[in-house]
């Protein structure tokens, strides 16, 4: 069974409530009907109900059973505004500013998640990553004990010899451009959680570099070595090794030659890239050249699930992301 099919099966086993702030957008409307038809989640769509229904009519989509809420007219808007003011008043926010923000579907949707009126959020088809992440990071923030919110991609490669039957976690590919050693350690722990909760596999985490076990000397190598040490201190039971070149992480013969006795080298299923350039380039190379399926970016380390979409996403991409978000909410 393909990874996304396993995730959808898990989503159906414990149905969660997801909010779609981009309720007036055509792909979201079509995806919402598919999500409900497949039993993946219950949904709230945000927007002017007349406009949402007009899009549904134009596309021949049945939105029966899906809640549609206009943030500007919602009876919960004032309570959300007061709560947002309390969260952000130390940063100088006024009640009036909070009221204006809550009228924005992105902020309203994040407040639904914050206040427990939804279990997770999916957006980004018509919002930039920054516009989507900003309210999530301001309001929901990181999980207790986790100082860094990052991202991962769920990769499924046709060549089943890599990762766990071809399934791998790549992190961070979308959020932190140049992580510190502490941030890299947090990314590693977040990626390990993603491997367990979303891919159903015991993580074997490789901290990637252009060096393996001191084969090169550079400040960038030292940072990965320090991140490895910090991550091991934070979770001594985690199977983690570094710094490793990517061939040492993935190919058993190379791994055992360069890092003899390692339980991770040659068997890694969770790759932590040293910076965003490497991570973003890496996942796209594997996606395009190896024909891998790439699901994400999936936010990790955040207290409640909020996930971004590519603005070029398809209807099926939105459906898959809702399923992933629902499983995170479990």
């Amino acid at each position: 069974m393909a990874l996304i099919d396993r995730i959808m099966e898990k989503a159906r086993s414990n149905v969660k409530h997801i909010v779609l702030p981009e309720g007036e957008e055509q792909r979201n409307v079509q995806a919402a009907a598919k999500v409900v038809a497949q039993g993946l989640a219950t949904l709230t769509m945000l927007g002017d109900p007349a406009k949402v229904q007009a899009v549904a009519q134009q596309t021949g989509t049945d939105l029966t059973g899906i809640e549609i809420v206009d943030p500007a007219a919602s009876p919960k808007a004032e309570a959300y505004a007061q709560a947002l003011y309390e969260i952000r008043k130390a940063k100088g926010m006024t009640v009036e500013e909070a009221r204006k923000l809550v009228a924005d579907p992105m902020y309203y949707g994040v407040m639904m998640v914050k206040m427990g009126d939804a279990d997770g959020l999916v957006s980004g088809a018509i919002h930039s990553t920054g516009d989507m992440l900003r309210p999530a990071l301001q309001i929901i923030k990181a999980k207790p004990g986790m100082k860094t919110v990052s991202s991962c991609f769920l990769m499924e490669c046709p060549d089943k010899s890599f990762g766990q039957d071809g399934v791998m976690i790549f992190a961070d590919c979308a959020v932190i451009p140049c992580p510190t050693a502490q941030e890299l350690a947090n990314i590693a722990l977040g990626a390990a959680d993603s491997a367990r909760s979303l891919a159903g596999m015991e993580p074997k985490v490789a901290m990637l570099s252009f060096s393996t076990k001191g084969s090169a000397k550079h400040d960038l190598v030292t940072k990965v070595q320090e991140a490895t040490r910090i991550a091991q201190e934070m979770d001594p039971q985690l199977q983690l090794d570094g710094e490793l070149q990517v061939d040492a992480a993935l190919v058993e013969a190379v791994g055992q030659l360069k890092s003899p006795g390692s339980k991770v080298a040659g068997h890694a299923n969770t790759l932590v890239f040293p910076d965003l350039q490497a991570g973003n380039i890496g996942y796209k190379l594997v996606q395009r050249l190896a024909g891998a399926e790439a699901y994400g970016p999936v936010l990790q380390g955040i207290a409640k699930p909020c996930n971004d979409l590519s603005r070029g996403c398809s209807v099926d991409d939105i459906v898959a992301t809702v399923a992933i978000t629902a499983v995170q909410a479990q």
Side-chain angles (χ1 to χ4, degrees), residues 61-330:
T61 305
D62 182 4
L63 295 181
T64 301
I66 297 173
E67 180 183 43
I68 302 170
V69 173
D70 183 353
S74 169
K76 292 187 176 181
E78 181 60 24
Y80 286 178
Q82 292 294 334
L84 177 58
Y85 163 69
E86 289 298 328
I87 293 167
R88 299 292 296 168
K89 66 182 180 182
K91 300 292 185 179
M93 181 174 287
T94 66
V95 173
E96 189 55 39
E97 287 170 339
R99 289 187 181 117
K100 288 179 181 177
L101 284 176
V102 163
D104 179 331
M106 269 304 312
Y107 274 86
Y108 187 96
V110 172
M111 287 304 300
M112 281 186 69
V113 177
K114 177 68 175 179
M115 302 295 282
D117 293 327
D119 298 308
L121 174 147
V122 173
S123 188
I126 53 175
H127 285 82
S128 69
T129 295
D131 287 342
M132 183 269 160
L133 286 179
R134 193 173 302 109
L137 296 178
Q138 288 175 347
I139 295 166
I140 295 179
K141 305 179 182 178
K143 287 180 181 178
M146 183 72 72
K147 296 179 180 178
T148 303
V149 175
S150 60
S151 76
C152 73
F153 272 80
L154 310 178
M155 307 295 295
E156 186 165 25
C157 302
D159 187 339
K160 303 301 182 185
S161 66
F162 294 111
Q164 183 164 308
D165 294 325
V167 174
M168 306 186 73
I169 302 293
F170 284 18
D172 172 15
C173 304
V175 178
I176 304 173
C178 190
T180 64
Q182 181 68 58
E183 287 171 333
L184 265 182
N186 276 279
I187 290 167
L189 268 59
D193 285 343
S194 296
R196 294 186 191 99
S197 64
L198 295 174
M201 60 190 186
E202 189 57 34
K204 295 180 179 180
V205 183
M207 306 294 285
L208 298 183
S209 176
F210 61 86
S211 167
T212 297
K213 300 296 185 178
S215 65
K217 305 295 183 186
H218 193 279
D219 288 348
L220 294 175
V221 175
T222 302
K223 182 172 76 170
V224 177
Q225 292 169 339
E226 178 68 4
T228 302
R229 183 190 64 77
I230 295 169
Q232 288 173 329
E233 287 181 356
M234 292 171 72
D235 186 356
Q237 303 306 312
L238 179 62
Q239 293 186 65
L240 176 144
D241 198 7
E243 85 283 11
L244 296 174
Q245 291 161 290
V246 74
D247 58 347
L250 296 177
V251 181
E252 184 171 15
V254 179
Q256 293 310 310
L257 177 67
K258 293 187 174 184
S259 186
S262 171
K263 293 181 179 179
V264 172
H267 304 285
N269 58 26
T270 303
L271 304 184
V272 177
F273 291 84
D275 62 29
L276 194 56
Q277 291 195 98
N280 192 271
I281 292 166
Y283 100 78
K284 288 182 177 177
L285 279 173
V286 174
Q287 180 185 34
R288 299 300 179 182
L289 299 185
E293 295 289 343
Y295 301 101
V298 177
L299 284 192
Q300 54 188 27
I302 195 164
K304 295 184 178 182
C306 294
N307 283 316
D308 189 25
L309 297 163
S310 164
R311 278 175 281 180
C313 65
S314 67
V315 170
D316 287 342
D317 290 336
I318 299 173
V319 173
T321 304
V322 169
I324 289 167
T325 307
V327 169
Q328 286 182 305
Q330 293 173 352

Side-chain angles (χ1 to χ4, degrees), residues 5-14 196-197 327 330:
D5 292 330
R6 297 201 304 272
I7 288 171
M8 287 180 173
E9 192 174 73
K10 190 172 181 182
R12 292 185 194 100
S13 72
N14 180 8
R196 294 186 191 99
S197 64
V327 169
Q330 293 173 352

